[in-house]
Amino acid sequence: MEKTEKSKRWIALYVENDVGVLAKVSSLFSAKSYNLASLTVGTTEHPDISRMTISVMATDATFEQIKKQLNTMVEVIKVIDLTNVPIHMKEVLFAKIKEIGPEEKQEVFRIADTFEIKPIDIGKDSVLLESTLTERRNDELVALLRKSFDHIDVTRGGAVAVEGISTSCR
């Protein structure tokens, strides 16, 4: 049965690693008023091919249209729908907690330990955390930091995902 409500969908694209390809892909989304939730891109083991991981909020019909339009682009080598397949996904997040005293700093360290993330820089009155958790766990981390501290800066990268290895392939 086709869903008519929007939900988060994931696509991986293999594209030619050429100038302007990212702009062409992102302009497809903006021209059709599709809202990108996340987009990351990096080169693969082949320097002339990049892989994009894209997250979009869409209905089933809209998502099918997005995939069809991406498949028609000359620069797109392959489109992979990651929405309903086993994947491994991580998102990079940096959180700078500022203007804190020694007791608050200890609380930052407790939170980092609980989330199994690490402080990567420490100042007299600040701590910088680095997280490579899932998007959901990073959301939980940010919510706790906002609740616990008055001065935080958060920088998030988009999620990167890869398909799991099927047990039948082992």
Side-chain angles (χ1 to χ4, degrees), residues 91-104:
E91 176 192 58
V92 175
L93 175 142
F94 294 101
K96 189 182 300 181
I97 300 87
K98 306 180 297 186
E99 300 177 31
I100 55 175
E103 285 140 23
E104 290 173 305

Side-chain angles (χ1 to χ4, degrees), residues 3-157:
K3 288 190 205 174
T4 56
E5 72 272 359
K6 288 184 178 183
S7 61
K8 188 167 276 191
R9 318 299 174 104
W10 295 93
I11 304 170
L13 299 179
Y14 286 94
V15 298
E16 295 173 4
N17 188 8
D18 289 330
V19 173
V21 173
L22 176 60
K24 286 181 182 179
V25 170
S26 61
S27 69
L28 178 141
F29 283 83
S30 64
K32 300 290 185 178
S33 296
Y34 302 145
N35 188 27
L36 286 170
S38 172
L39 186 149
T40 59
V41 62
T43 56
T44 65
E45 66 279 9
H46 304 288
D48 56 339
I49 298 175
S50 290
R51 180 174 164 131
M52 294 182 179
T53 305
I54 299 172
S55 172
V56 62
M57 291 294 291
T59 63
D60 284 347
T62 300
F63 190 60
E64 288 305 314
Q65 187 64 31
I66 290 169
K67 291 188 296 185
K68 285 178 189 171
Q69 290 172 339
L70 288 168
N71 269 311
T72 65
M73 296 180 72
V74 173
E75 300 84 1
V76 174
I77 298 165
K78 186 175 184 180
V79 177
I80 304 168
D81 181 351
L82 298 176
T83 303
N84 295 312
V85 297
I87 59 173
H88 299 275
M89 183 177 300
K90 298 292 181 185
E91 176 192 58
V92 175
L93 175 142
F94 294 101
K96 189 182 300 181
I97 300 87
K98 306 180 297 186
E99 300 177 31
I100 55 175
E103 285 140 23
E104 290 173 305
K105 200 179 277 188
Q106 288 305 312
E107 180 62 16
V108 172
F109 295 144
R110 280 192 289 277
I111 291 170
D113 190 47
T114 300
F115 278 83
E116 297 178 346
I117 61 174
K118 57 186 174 190
I120 58 168
D121 202 359
I122 302 168
K124 184 178 136 199
D125 66 349
S126 60
V127 176
L128 179 62
L129 300 175
E130 175 186 61
S131 171
T132 54
L133 300 172
T134 63
E135 183 180 31
R136 182 184 61 79
R137 285 295 285 162
N138 278 340
D139 288 343
E140 293 168 358
L141 172 63
V142 170
L144 180 58
L145 292 173
R146 283 189 176 135
K147 181 179 166 187
S148 302
F149 306 100
D150 293 329
H151 304 283
I152 68 166
D153 292 335
V154 174
T155 303
R156 294 175 89 154

